Amino acid sequence: MNTLLSPAIDTVGELTERCDRCGSAAKLEVVLASGGDLAFCGHHANRHKADITRVASRIRLEEGFEWAGR
Ligand SMILES: [Zn+2]
């Protein structure tokens, strides 16, 4: 079983969530491999990119957001 598969990444028009860390408008949503989901603003999405990639089964990016972890 390959546990190093990259998560699927979708681009969506606009995210309505708020960042779970700071409350700013989310630019990235993560569907966790373990269930549940998280949202991050651009700043936190980039800061936590390695962790996000590790735990995500699916990632949604707001259109136009250049995620450093992509
Ligand atoms: Zn944030």
Side-chain angles (χ1 to χ4, degrees), residues 3-69:
T3 56
L4 296 175
L5 280 174
S6 296
I9 298 180
D10 299 318
T11 302
V12 298
E14 189 178 1
L15 295 176
T16 56
E17 300 292 315
R18 313 298 293 186
C19 176
D20 289 322
R21 299 296 166 102
C22 71
S24 295
K27 297 294 183 186
L28 179 151
E29 283 180 5
V30 187
V31 179
L32 301 173
S34 57
D37 49 52
L38 294 172
F40 296 96
C41 67
H43 172 77
H44 284 114
N46 287 336
R47 180 191 287 188
H48 298 295
K49 63 182 189 291
D51 291 328
I52 290 169
T53 301
R54 192 159 58 237
V55 300
S57 63
R58 190 159 210 102
I59 291 171
R60 282 190 287 273
L61 298 176
E62 185 167 287
E63 195 165 20
F65 171 55
E66 295 293 332
W67 183 40

